[in-house]
Amino acid sequence: MVGSFLNVVIYRLPIMMEKGWRKECLEYLGQDSKNEEPEPFTLSLPRSCCPNCKSPITALQNIPVLSYLFLAGKCANCKNPISIRYPTVELATALLSVIVASHFGCSLEMVSALILTWFLICLTMIDYDTQLLPDSITLPLLWAGLVLSLFNLFIDSHTSIIGAVAGYLSLWSVYHLFRIATGKEGMGFGDFKLLAALGAWMGWQMLPVIIILSSLVGAVVGSLLLITQRQKKGTPIPFGPYLAAAGWIALLWGDEIISHYLLFSGLS
């Protein structure tokens, strides 16, 4: 059920942002924006419908995963194929949530980790689709990490604040150095805010693990996309999904990864 709601956020939030930007631009130019959107477009309005025939999706047709299977992956009205991504996100949300619950047990840490997991799923898919990391998700995530540190839930406030600052400044520095060296922008500001949020949740000690894991996965996936010609050379690749995946792994197994590395390297 949570995954079904995340699908709504993933699809609608970028559209809401674009509509908001357009309205602001029209207002700045002194043009009337009232006639631009005769109907409200929010996370709840208008009702979900088939993108092909526009027929409303009933409650029975909107049961996570089961409705997709019952309808054989097609619209009940026009038989247009329904994207496999909808049940995939729902199943992935359920699976990751079960892993988090089994790792932390019934506790406040589990509830907090579940919320972080759901936010990261949204950010991953939105960045994959649009190369945007909305402030309306990254900034609340950052503040949540700082607030939780007041109660020493995962880390203490001192470690959290340094983690947030170091997370932002590390990618900010890479961005400007790359821009000075090449004259191009290597990443977006949303990546800085996401790493700052992860630093606020897990502390500055986890930042090297997150950066190394995300860079390795990003390099491997990017190379595979180029080899299979699914990505053209010079086309930007979103970095947010790799940061999100690395942050989630570090939240659950970061300490074990660091311990095994120190043992393997002979530093421990």
Side-chain angles (χ1 to χ4, degrees), residues 1 19 34 41 43 63-64 75 94 100 127 135 138 147-148 151-152 159 166 169 179 193 218 230 235 242:
M1 291 175 65
K19 290 180 182 295
K34 293 182 179 179
F41 190 91
L43 293 180
I63 302 173
C75 171
V100 168
D127 197 26
D135 287 349
T138 56
V147 170
L148 289 175
F151 306 96
N152 293 323
T159 305
L169 290 180
R179 185 173 61 83
K193 299 168 189 174
R230 295 185 63 182
T235 303
Y242 309 119

Side-chain angles (χ1 to χ4, degrees), residues 5-6 8-14 16-17 43 115-127 130 132-145 190 193-198 201 244:
F5 176 71
L6 296 186
V8 174
V9 177
I10 292 165
Y11 171 73
R12 295 196 177 205
L13 184 57
M16 292 165 56
M17 293 169 60
L43 293 180
I115 294 173
L116 174 61
T117 300
W118 299 337
F119 272 58
L120 292 178
I121 291 172
C122 275
L123 290 171
T124 294
M125 300 309 299
I126 291 175
D127 197 26
T130 65
L132 295 172
L133 290 170
D135 287 349
S136 55
I137 298 180
T138 56
L139 296 184
L141 203 60
L142 169 61
W143 286 111
K193 299 168 189 174
L194 176 54
L195 188 57
L198 295 175
W201 277 75

Side-chain angles (χ1 to χ4, degrees), residues 160-182:
S160 176
I161 293 171
I162 295 177
V165 173
Y168 188 92
L169 290 180
S170 58
L171 291 188
W172 179 87
S173 302
V174 172
Y175 166 85
H176 283 288
L177 289 173
F178 183 82
R179 185 173 61 83
I180 293 171
T182 66

Side-chain angles (χ1 to χ4, degrees), residues 198-210:
L198 295 175
W201 277 75
M202 288 165 259
W204 60 268
Q205 297 93 332
M206 284 297 169
L207 292 177
V209 176
I210 295 172

